Amino acid sequence: MAPSPLPFCCSSRRLRIPRLLLVWVTCLAVAIGTLLQPGLEGNARLLLHFSNKSNREQGYCETEARLASSLDFWTLSSENLIAVLPVDPVKENYVRKVKNCVFSIAFPTPFKSRVHLVAVSKEVLEDILDLDLSVSETDDFIQLVSGKKIVFGSIPLAHRYGGHQFGIWADQLGDGRAHLIGIYMNRLGEKWELQLKGSGKTPYSRNGDGRAVLRSSVREFLCSEAMYYLGIPTSRAASLVVSDDEVWRDQFYNGNIVKERGAVVLRVAKSWFRIGSLEILTHYGELDLLRTLLDFIIQEHFPSVDIREPNRYVEFFSIVVSETAQLIALWMSIGFAHGVCNTDNFSLLSITIDYGPFGFMEAYNPDFVPNTSDDERRYKIGNQANIGMFNLNKLLQALNPLLDPRQKQLAAQILEGYPVLYYTRFRELFKAKLGLLGERKGDDDLIAFLLHLMEKTEADFTMTFRQLSEITQSQLQELHIPQQFWALKMISKHELFPAWVSQYLVRLKSNMNDSDFERRKRMMAVNPRYVLKNWMAESAVQKAERNDFSEVYLLQQVLQHPFQKHSAAERAGYSSPTPARARDLRVSCSS
């Protein structure tokens, strides 16, 4: 008999989700005549071939654009940011308490040893940065993405922010090992902020060395690209370089410090502002600056909000609440645990940022936590929606000084609606994963029942849904599970599996104008065959540490097509049961 319906209880304080449902430098003006597009952001000289119609009239698809073949006329600019947002007046790069600004000027620290290019994203280079892939083979490019070269027009910046870490106010945090090297506006008119991670110390480095290591950098490069192709809002990774510089890390937080290799990832996003960007300003009473930053963020990134509207901050908050609920529901639909859902890691644009101790759940377990330092399991996968509400509450607290009593009440009501927003999207996503069309009374029970069986049998989360996408209804009806559907065979050992199959097949019959072929086609488009499981990333990392980057390249190719069968991936066992050797790997996600 199936479990009873699962209630969805919530309050304004805590979301109770059922366990199973889960400038001392001169600002350089770029003046190269007609070679460059007008505007404050960096851009490239693009040779466009037009008909008599303008680009806007005929659409970009009807033009042919030649990508930049070198960095000679490719520029970045920080002017869009520093023209509006104040910069730290202290110019020296040493760790300190910073106040009354949003950014500090900080230059990357080049590696001392030779730098090697490990990987690039062709799509990011060409589709976002207007660079031909061949540019990645040049010395100029290597110098740029390793922090040695500063592009004309760029003033490198480190962002000041604070945040709640593991539920406790951590005061000033900031970009401790990241440098925003400028904004690029591409041929589509899109603005992208480019940031180097692992590029050296800044005023916000605290006790850190400002470096990232190869291990964590491989993981970030692969995962950010994997998430994009899975359809999850995310920052992107353009390149990954490694050096022979020594970086010391306590990989397993056990006091055993080991030598690793320094690495840098060039990552891009529409914005790197996060909840902590606002929290730090409220905490120190910098309310005029808070208002300036908020208005800038709204004007740049929230076009649906009228900057002249008195209720603009409430409208802004409403969008962030809705899109955060959407983002976390998407995480859950692919079994992704961020690992460190602190407010300084939650984007105001509701994209996935700051990949650290993340993990894709293998055996279904609502208590799955990929962060080895999270002893209290605060950021376990089954608690992510609750943490989303906690973080949004901290965002509201940061906004409150700018709100009048009526606006505060409206914003509080918006926050109270978060559970329904999250749960509604969660249901939509999991119904799609099961191929269900329309609305039926027992849909919640059907989803919960399956998750219950998966938990009890420790079935693989990704492959259970994928194999349900591939198996025919007749095979299910006969309870004949071929060996290749190994995840389903594991669930079939549970005594209640026939009861669930019976309920599922009855529900599929209620799909209007549907066929088994269409059902499977639809499900395979939303249930990936490949995700970046920890053992896969660890295997690639171990080879990369021996200067063998073949598996990094293979994983990159596979993860760009997660819904399609890939012969090399099958040979590597990426859709097979987790290899025994992987179970013994001490996978660490520290950076």
Side-chain angles (χ1 to χ4, degrees), residues 120 123 222 552-562 566:
V120 294
E123 289 75 12
L222 290 174
V552 173
Y553 178 77
L554 172 60
L555 274 169
Q556 182 184 3
Q557 303 308 306
V558 171
L559 296 171
Q560 287 177 345
H561 306 281
H566 192 290

Side-chain angles (χ1 to χ4, degrees), residues 40 74 94 157 175 191 336 344 478 520 558 562:
L40 298 178
W74 189 87
Y94 63 92
L157 303 171
D175 288 335
K191 298 176 184 177
F336 175 80
D344 56 293
E478 297 170 3
R520 284 184 287 148
V558 171

Side-chain angles (χ1 to χ4, degrees), residues 139-348:
D139 186 60
D140 274 354
F141 182 82
I142 300 295
Q143 291 188 34
L144 170 68
V145 302
S146 63
K148 186 176 182 179
K149 175 186 177 71
I150 303 301
V151 173
F152 179 72
S154 168
I155 301 173
L157 303 171
H159 176 35
R160 170 190 177 223
Y161 54 82
H164 282 79
Q165 297 192 327
F166 294 90
I168 300 171
W169 174 247
D171 204 19
Q172 176 179 293
L173 297 168
D175 288 335
R177 54 176 174 170
H179 295 79
L180 196 161
I181 60 172
I183 299 175
Y184 180 77
M185 184 165 69
N186 66 21
R187 62 191 186 272
L188 302 180
E190 300 169 337
K191 298 176 184 177
W192 292 87
E193 296 183 5
L194 280 67
Q195 187 185 79
L196 298 178
K197 181 177 178 180
S199 44
K201 288 187 176 183
T202 76
Y204 310 100
S205 295
R206 293 172 285 169
N207 296 321
D209 57 14
R211 292 299 187 193
V213 297
L214 178 61
R215 166 175 41 85
S216 62
S217 300
V218 165
R219 289 171 52 83
E220 169 145 5
F221 179 88
L222 290 174
C223 192
S224 56
E225 290 304 278
M227 293 285 275
Y228 173 77
Y229 288 100
L230 286 166
I232 313 299
T234 180
S235 58
R236 302 291 303 276
S239 65
L240 165 61
V241 296
V242 63
S243 73
D244 289 326
D245 282 25
E246 298 177 354
V247 178
W248 297 88
R249 287 291 183 270
D250 183 358
Q251 183 175 353
F252 301 110
Y253 304 103
N254 59 5
N256 184 24
I257 300 177
V258 298
K259 181 176 67 177
E260 301 190 53
R261 299 167 67 186
V264 172
V265 174
L266 172 60
R267 53 189 194 172
V268 302
K270 294 294 183 67
S271 171
W272 294 100
F273 290 123
R274 67 268 327 269
I275 292 175
S277 304
L278 306 181
E279 284 188 287
I280 191 75
L281 303 181
T282 300
H283 180 80
Y284 284 101
E286 300 169 20
L287 302 187
D288 289 339
L289 182 49
L290 175 65
R291 184 176 287 104
T292 297
L293 178 56
L294 266 169
D295 287 347
F296 176 84
I297 292 171
I298 291 170
Q299 196 157 9
E300 287 289 314
H301 303 291
F302 292 79
S304 65
V305 179
D306 187 346
I307 197 66
R308 298 162 299 182
E309 169 61 48
N311 287 329
R312 62 190 181 277
Y313 301 143
V314 177
E315 294 180 24
F316 159 80
F317 182 65
S318 178
I319 295 172
V320 177
V321 169
S322 176
E323 293 189 352
T324 298
Q326 155 88 353
L327 177 64
I328 298 178
L330 284 167
W331 287 355
M332 299 298 286
S333 73
I334 58 169
F336 175 80
H338 184 280
V340 191
C341 295
N342 298 324
T343 57
D344 56 293
N345 293 332
F346 258 51
S347 162
L348 289 174

